[in-house]
Amino acid sequence: MATVADVRRIALSLPETAERESRRNLQWRVKDRVFAWERPLRRGDIDEPGVYFTTPHFNGHPAIVFELDRITVDELTELITEAWLAQAPRKLASAFRRK
């Protein structure tokens, strides 16, 4: 089971990542582009979702919504890294991939 501390550790281990707070929730950015954020479930969200799910708000948005306490740290690491790669500037992402 993963935690917000795991999200923080994984996200901040990626180059040029910054953590910010927005509307009392944490978010992680690379070069000012958000690639991960904390979003508690809301009243209108699907009840009892699986690990991965969507809500009407996120339909059609290129995001993966998941229950943090239902995902493994390995899965979380892969998701956060892929999200970072999708948002990072091309040169930064290329340099990261060459490591």
Side-chain angles (χ1 to χ4, degrees), residues 1-3 6 9-10 51-52 66-80:
M1 174 168 44
T3 66
D6 293 318
R9 178 183 51 76
I10 296 162
V51 174
Y52 303 99
F66 59 90
E67 285 276 6
L68 186 59
D69 62 354
R70 295 183 182 191
I71 194 170
T72 68
V73 173
D74 287 342
E75 290 173 304
L76 179 67
T77 301
E78 183 178 349
L79 287 174
I80 290 174

Side-chain angles (χ1 to χ4, degrees), residues 8-57:
R8 175 179 279 132
R9 178 183 51 76
I10 296 162
L12 292 176
S13 74
L14 296 165
E16 300 190 38
T17 294
E19 180 179 281
R20 292 189 186 164
E21 189 174 312
S22 175
R23 298 180 185 161
R24 292 179 276 168
N25 294 308
L26 297 172
Q27 56 180 229
W28 293 269
R29 297 170 171 258
V30 57
K31 294 288 188 176
D32 211 35
R33 296 182 74 185
V34 176
F35 68 92
W37 65 93
E38 172 187 38
R39 182 188 180 274
L41 289 175
R42 297 184 180 139
R43 219 178 266 178
D45 293 341
I46 299 168
D47 291 335
E48 294 301 316
V51 174
Y52 303 99
F53 63 99
T54 191
T55 68
H57 177 77

